[in-house]
Amino acid sequence: MDGRSILLPADTADDLAGTAFIHVDDQLVGTYTTDDFASAVRLLDAVAVAADELDHHPEVHLGWGHIEFELWSHDVGGVTRRDLALARRIGELATEQAARPGN
């Protein structure tokens, strides 16, 4: 399976187990809670750098004490290995920033 093949929820379940991300419809959605707005912004700043490095960018919803990421590969209309790689990197950055998986 190449990096642009669409993955189904069954294909991503093992990779997403224990993370903040779930596979909903044709995207991965991950929510994190933080202590305040500034902490959420710092996480977003770190993710922005990583997204540029990976040349793959999430949709982001930012608020006081929380941040949500939506990942999908627009060019193929669904979730790919690129999305899993970015979700994994976001999880690492969230841990470094003391953000917690939210709901």
Side-chain angles (χ1 to χ4, degrees), residues 2 7 13 18 22 30 35 37 40 42 45 47-48 53 66 70 72 77 82 84 95 97 101:
D2 71 26
L7 302 174
I22 58 172
D35 291 334
F37 187 74
R42 282 192 295 275
D45 286 343
V47 169
E53 289 171 356
H66 70 275
E70 296 174 357
W72 72 96
R82 293 174 291 169
L84 287 174
T95 298
Q97 299 280 332

Side-chain angles (χ1 to χ4, degrees), residues 57-72:
H57 304 89
E59 296 291 324
V60 179
H61 303 276
L62 178 68
W64 191 97
H66 70 275
I67 185 167
E68 180 182 87
F69 299 96
E70 296 174 357
L71 312 176
W72 72 96

Side-chain angles (χ1 to χ4, degrees), residues 6-91:
I6 292 178
L7 302 174
L8 302 174
D11 301 321
T12 63
D14 289 343
D15 289 304
L16 298 178
T19 74
F21 283 88
I22 58 172
H23 192 148
V24 180
D25 298 323
D26 294 329
Q27 60 185 296
L28 303 182
V29 178
T31 303
Y32 293 90
T33 59
T34 62
D35 291 334
D36 51 30
F37 187 74
S39 298
V41 170
R42 282 192 295 275
L43 176 55
L44 178 55
D45 286 343
V47 169
V49 171
D52 279 345
E53 289 171 356
L54 293 171
D55 194 27
H56 195 55
H57 304 89
E59 296 291 324
V60 179
H61 303 276
L62 178 68
W64 191 97
H66 70 275
I67 185 167
E68 180 182 87
F69 299 96
E70 296 174 357
L71 312 176
W72 72 96
S73 296
H74 301 267
D75 58 335
V76 297
V79 174
T80 67
R81 293 267 167 227
R82 293 174 291 169
D83 301 296
L84 287 174
L86 182 54
R88 186 171 24 260
R89 186 67 182 122
I90 290 171

